[in-house]
Amino acid sequence: MNYKTLGIFAIGTLLAASAIAQTNDSVLASHPNFTASCYSLYPEPANIKYTKAPAGYKAFYLSHYGRHGSRYHHSADEYKYLFETLSKADSLGKLTEAGKQALAYTHVLATEAAPRSGDLTQVGVKQHQGIAKRMAKNFPEIFNDRTVAVKNDKGVKNAKVTPHVKAYASTSGRCIVSMAAFVSEFRAQKPKTEVETFSGKSYMKFICPFDWDKLEYSKAKKYTNESDKLWQKVDPQPFLKKLFNDSAYIAKNIDASTFYNRIFEITSLLPGMDKPLLQSIENEAKVPAETFINLFTTEEKITRWKAQNSWWYSVLGTSPLIGKTDGTDFGKNILQNILDEADTVINADTLNAAFNAGETPVAATLRFGHDTGILPLAGLMQLPLASAKISDLSTLHEQWDDFRVIPMAANMQIVFYKAGKTNAKNASKPILVKLLYNEIEQTLPIECGLPENEKKNCPAAPYYRWDDFRTFYSNLLK
């Protein structure tokens, strides 16, 4: 089996997704890996050409939030559940030949994958290394030496210093390892740049403020009515009959919905697994690992994904059916931290500021968290790919797709620009920002605040005046 192809296929299809204006069944049938939902591989960009900054402007700061990379399934018990369910059926002679192959497949998962539940894979490591490498390449001026005013006992004088980077991670191991992978590659690209790394409970308020107990989406009848329509279309029986040879046994002994959903989710993770696990599956099951992805028909994948997609949208997205903003509110602490940190950096970079001896400017703030952080943030900030307002969930996929918003290693980068050197001439020129989502430039719902007779001085998208950016998003936090 070509394990490299298993991963690259998913990446390639996701790359194609970035150019697709609308997702329909035909698109999903052509790109079945989209149906992996939040388990989709990171859509690594290729040959991206960014819009040039206005004349005289150079990037000087970058604010980032990223989801961890590809990982093992979060629950060891669910790996074991699949194996135990199939093992019991096998002991009673209730498995088909495909079922026996699935038994071998789940045995590998229970013995090799379960002990690593929730851990980052090497695929996930490489995703963050790639993002770090491209960040250093795309915005080298942010991390280069710069001349700043430095004060000591003898007064203030200009000195050339190397700015530093601050990186924060969720207390989750996969986020800490994602940060480590990112930082290791970044240091290889920019060896002079010091990187400070942080992880701890005190940082979780702006890395992962999510709390399941604060969500009440299941009480919203408008949502449950629409959602039920989609889940009712998910029929596990044809799939189960591929594995079990006795319908009566299935009816009496198998929780069809639970088994089907667990094996679907865990199998969707396969493209993000490492070669040794895939090889173990092939060795024990005597078929390539991708065989188990293909056990699900294209129609089954699409039907289940539409229901799952609507769940993510309604729980943490911009769904009008919930009647509350509980989901996107989880992005508020993150957004506030982004604004506050930017203010601190900008204030330190003003004309009259001077650094204490030994201090250096902050070039970037990196945050490594979860889908439950970046999804609410993207919706709260009204990004085009995450701001749809859809009541008919059967058509949701045409405007909102979880595989675009929260693939593994999904990330947001806000790049700050200033007009050349810090001096009196440039002091009055506005700081500009642009936002990248999964490294793609975004158009934001922000209007230029200049008077009508000065609108000609407004920057063109994807660039926005920081004052307008800050005002717009600060108002969302009130």
Side-chain angles (χ1 to χ4, degrees):
M1 175 188 176
N2 186 341
Y3 299 110
K4 190 174 181 181
T5 301
L6 182 62
I8 287 179
F9 174 71
I11 293 175
T13 55
L14 275 163
L15 275 171
S18 64
I20 297 171
Q22 187 179 76
T23 302
N24 54 37
D25 284 7
S26 176
V27 169
L28 292 167
S30 299
H31 305 284
N33 283 77
F34 288 169
T35 62
S37 182
C38 64
Y39 301 139
S40 298
L41 295 185
Y42 181 66
E44 184 175 323
N47 302 318
I48 296 295
K49 291 186 178 180
Y50 290 131
T51 307
K52 287 185 177 181
Y57 275 84
K58 291 185 177 181
F60 72 99
Y61 173 62
L62 189 150
S63 188
H64 156 279
Y65 187 99
R67 184 192 181 194
H68 59 75
S70 289
R71 59 161 172 80
Y72 289 85
H73 190 58
H74 65 86
S75 171
D77 288 344
E78 291 181 8
Y79 278 127
K80 295 173 183 176
Y81 160 77
L82 294 178
F83 172 65
E84 290 167 358
T85 300
L86 290 168
S87 182
K88 178 182 177 181
D90 184 52
S91 70
L92 298 172
K94 301 300 181 180
L95 294 184
T96 64
E97 185 59 33
K100 292 179 182 294
Q101 291 174 343
L103 173 63
Y105 161 54
T106 58
H107 177 253
V108 174
L109 296 179
T111 56
E112 297 186 28
R116 295 204 58 196
S117 59
D119 287 355
L120 198 74
T121 65
Q122 288 303 300
V123 173
V125 165
K126 289 179 172 60
Q127 289 163 349
H128 279 284
Q129 289 175 333
I131 295 167
K133 185 175 183 177
R134 289 187 295 275
M135 181 185 289
K137 178 182 177 181
N138 292 332
F139 308 106
E141 65 273 25
I142 293 178
F143 309 103
N144 290 342
D145 289 353
R146 61 182 76 169
T147 300
V148 299
V150 177
K151 60 184 177 182
N152 54 33
D153 294 341
K154 298 179 181 180
V156 178
K157 65 176 183 178
N158 288 337
K160 183 170 285 189
V161 300
T162 303
H164 69 282
V165 171
K166 298 167 69 175
Y168 300 86
S170 158
T171 52
S172 168
R174 56 184 172 269
C175 296
I176 294 171
V177 178
S178 291
M179 177 175 69
F182 190 107
V183 169
S184 67
E185 179 60 34
F186 180 82
R187 283 173 171 154
Q189 299 296 320
K190 294 292 181 180
K192 290 179 62 179
T193 303
E194 179 185 354
V195 182
E196 299 176 318
T197 56
F198 307 88
S199 182
K201 292 181 180 179
S202 62
Y203 304 117
M204 292 298 279
K205 61 186 177 183
F206 65 82
I207 293 295
C208 187
F210 178 72
D211 184 349
W212 278 114
D213 293 335
K214 293 183 179 180
L215 288 173
E216 297 184 342
Y217 65 94
S218 61
K219 297 179 181 179
K221 288 298 181 183
K222 289 183 178 180
Y223 158 68
T224 55
N225 289 342
E226 281 293 310
S227 176
D228 287 350
K229 294 176 185 177
L230 295 178
W231 285 107
Q232 286 166 5
K233 294 179 181 179
V234 177
D235 182 7
Q237 294 303 322
F239 176 84
L240 295 179
K241 289 176 182 178
K242 294 178 183 178
L243 305 185
F244 301 94
N245 59 24
D246 186 336
S247 296
Y249 178 84
I250 294 173
K252 185 176 180 180
N253 297 278
I254 306 298
D255 184 329
S257 178
T258 297
F259 183 87
Y260 182 78
N261 285 318
R262 295 296 172 265
I263 197 167
F264 186 97
E265 290 176 3
I266 287 172
T267 302
S268 294
L269 283 160
L270 283 178
M273 297 297 102
D274 298 324
K275 291 181 182 179
L277 180 69
L278 300 176
Q279 186 63 62
S280 291
I281 292 171
E282 182 171 338
N283 291 345
E284 188 154 340
K286 309 303 181 185
V287 293
E290 63 188 359
T291 300
F292 301 102
I293 297 176
N294 297 329
L295 273 177
F296 297 91
T297 67
T298 298
E299 183 179 355
E300 286 171 338
K301 292 176 184 178
I302 292 173
T303 300
R304 190 194 177 282
W305 170 76
K306 286 181 179 179
Q308 182 66 39
N309 186 55
S310 73
W311 182 84
W312 275 117
Y313 170 71
S314 302
V315 173
L316 291 173
T318 53
S319 173
L321 296 175
I322 303 301
K324 297 180 179 181
T325 59
D326 291 0
T328 55
D329 282 351
F330 286 117
K332 287 186 173 181
N333 282 0
I334 304 171
L335 179 56
Q336 186 67 67
N337 180 256
I338 289 171
L339 299 178
D340 290 346
E341 290 294 307
D343 278 342
T344 299
V345 171
I346 291 169
N347 289 338
D349 195 75
T350 57
L351 182 62
N352 297 320
F355 291 89
N356 293 320
E359 293 181 344
T360 61
V362 177
T365 305
L366 311 175
R367 305 166 186 84
F368 297 88
H370 303 265
D371 46 17
T372 52
I374 197 167
L375 172 52
L377 180 63
L380 176 66
M381 294 182 71
Q382 301 177 25
L383 303 190
L385 80 172
S387 61
K389 298 282 189 180
I390 306 296
S391 295
D392 181 359
L393 294 183
S394 68
T395 65
L396 174 66
H397 61 284
E398 297 173 2
Q399 297 187 49
W400 196 99
D401 304 312
D402 53 13
F403 59 80
R404 300 182 199 275
V405 187
I406 47 171
M408 295 297 188
N411 64 96
M412 180 186 297
Q413 300 177 31
I414 306 171
V415 189
F416 292 69
Y417 295 78
K418 64 179 180 180
K421 295 181 179 179
T422 301
N423 55 41
K425 180 180 178 181
N426 291 324
S428 63
K429 293 184 178 180
I431 288 172
L432 304 181
V433 299
K434 75 172 177 181
L435 189 149
L436 311 179
Y437 200 89
N438 294 338
E439 302 176 77
I440 304 297
E441 292 176 337
Q442 301 293 306
T443 300
L444 305 177
I446 298 174
E447 293 186 6
C448 179
L450 290 176
E452 197 62 39
N453 61 344
E454 296 181 27
K455 291 289 188 184
K456 63 181 183 296
N457 295 321
C458 294
Y463 294 92
Y464 302 87
R465 299 192 317 151
W466 166 243
D467 286 347
D468 296 328
F469 185 102
R470 200 192 192 296
T471 297
F472 180 83
Y473 288 120
S474 292
N475 287 337
L476 295 182
L477 296 174
K478 293 178 179 178

